[in-house]
Amino acid sequence: MKLLRIGGYGPGILTFGGDSDGRFGGEGELTRVAAPSFLAVHPTLPVLYAVGELERGWLTAFAVRDDGLAPLDERPSEGSSPCHVAVDPSGTLLAATNYGDGTAVLYRLDARGAFEGEPIVLRHEGSGPDPERQEGPHAHEAVFHDGVLHVSDLGTDEIRRYLPDGTPLEPLTLQPGTGPRHFAFAGGRLYVAGELDGTVTMIEEDGRRTVAPASRVAGVANAPSHLQLDGDHVYVANRGPDTVTVLSAADLAPVAEVPCGGAWPRHFAIDGDRLYVANQHSGTVTVLALTDGVPELTGESYAAESPACVLVG
């Protein structure tokens, strides 16, 4: 059975069961946990991880059972307001980012998917030109790629890089005021959504860069949130215009920009020919159908209080 899981700022994680075509029914099963604003699944084990986006942040591991989610383990995020969690492809490392103070953390995972040993705490310093949003570091997303942990820092305009033991490497620096949020790799290319300047930046393996607007809706301030690659396309959610943009992965040429069906699209998930958008301010997860990579609203939606993350699988 396929599952739709929604995390956010409501009372917990909402799970809907559905068929292989991605159609989900019922009211959903609620697993109560504080502010689970981002979720991640273990690559090989039936374990789900959630951040608790609180001033004193938490990370919770849940065993996925036939009767729902059962708490497996819990640890501090070692910072404030954790907003992202990821597991490396081997299933032995978990990373989380704390937006509040810019701290990232690495945990080892045992054979059950539970936390093991002491964390590696990755603190950071620095600032950017925006005095309100870049007064200090703000770690936003963690991505494991080619054996290196990459952490976007909205506050310092960097993609920080670390070895699995926490050894820092030279960061990738973006244009001042970019405010890097979510990002993704495709081969030797890196694509970065700039929350503060409303752009997408493509960085080639040789260092060449292409910058394009994430939205072309005139007269509306844009704060891009999630970015994801699928096939030959880059998808970006735009908060403000309330759209999903499709760009060519080859050169960031515009392909399409369509309404997301809600307000303040914070995250989305692509599953086959369907795209699920978590609209934080309208309290809905809307479903868009993909035809040749272009999204179109289907009229389907799922109610969820202040959704911030959606997983399908």
Side-chain angles (χ1 to χ4, degrees):
M1 181 176 68
K2 187 167 286 191
L3 298 174
L4 169 68
R5 299 197 194 277
I6 304 169
Y9 299 101
I13 301 168
L14 197 57
T15 302
F16 293 88
D19 58 27
S20 59
D21 293 327
R23 289 171 174 79
F24 302 93
E27 296 182 355
E29 178 182 341
L30 180 66
T31 302
R32 292 192 175 274
V33 60
S37 66
F38 208 86
L39 312 173
V41 294
H42 193 282
T44 59
L45 298 172
V47 180
L48 178 76
Y49 301 94
V51 302
E53 192 171 333
L54 307 169
E55 177 62 28
R56 182 171 181 256
W58 287 92
L59 303 170
T60 304
F62 294 93
V64 179
R65 300 176 178 172
D66 291 340
D67 59 351
L69 300 175
L72 174 67
D73 200 359
E74 188 173 52
R75 294 289 175 90
S77 71
E78 300 295 336
S80 64
S81 300
C83 60
H84 192 268
V85 60
V87 183
D88 82 318
S90 73
T92 61
L93 278 176
L94 176 144
T97 55
N98 294 281
Y99 180 85
D101 60 5
T103 300
V105 65
L106 274 167
Y107 275 102
R108 298 282 176 186
L109 299 176
D110 65 18
R112 301 175 302 142
F115 304 109
E116 183 175 49
E118 293 299 312
I120 300 172
V121 182
L122 307 171
R123 305 192 188 281
H124 196 52
E125 296 181 350
S127 60
D130 187 325
E132 293 184 359
R133 298 294 309 279
Q134 296 185 305
E135 80 296 344
H138 293 296
H140 222 305
E141 185 181 32
V143 173
F144 291 96
H145 179 69
D146 285 348
V148 174
L149 170 64
H150 297 74
V151 174
S152 56
D153 197 314
L154 180 145
T156 65
D157 293 315
E158 294 172 313
I159 305 293
R160 296 151 50 183
R161 303 191 304 145
Y162 302 92
L163 294 178
D165 64 1
T167 300
L169 303 174
E170 188 72 19
L172 297 172
T173 302
L174 287 107
Q175 186 71 19
T178 298
R181 186 181 170 100
H182 284 196
F183 60 101
F185 291 91
R189 286 176 171 165
L190 169 63
Y191 301 83
V192 185
E195 178 176 339
L196 299 185
D197 69 356
T199 64
V200 175
T201 299
M202 178 176 69
I203 304 175
E204 305 273 7
E205 200 165 10
D206 62 6
R208 289 180 296 130
R209 300 188 179 200
T210 302
V211 181
S215 171
R216 285 176 164 78
V217 176
V220 181
N222 182 26
S225 56
H226 186 54
L227 177 149
Q228 186 172 331
L229 276 91
D230 189 68
D232 297 328
H233 297 127
V234 181
Y235 295 83
V236 189
N238 299 303
R239 296 172 298 174
D242 293 338
T243 61
V244 175
T245 293
V246 187
L247 304 172
S248 166
D251 56 6
L252 298 187
V255 175
E257 183 171 358
V258 302
C260 67
W264 212 248
R266 188 180 177 94
H267 186 254
F268 60 84
I270 296 173
D271 182 61
D273 61 356
R274 294 165 78 81
L275 188 150
Y276 301 80
V277 184
N279 297 297
Q280 183 180 350
H281 289 176
S282 55
T284 57
V285 171
T286 50
V287 184
L288 289 76
L290 295 173
T291 303
D292 296 327
V294 176
E296 181 180 4
L297 286 168
T298 64
E300 296 177 51
S301 67
Y302 303 91
E305 184 177 340
S306 195
C309 177
V310 55
L311 298 181
V312 184

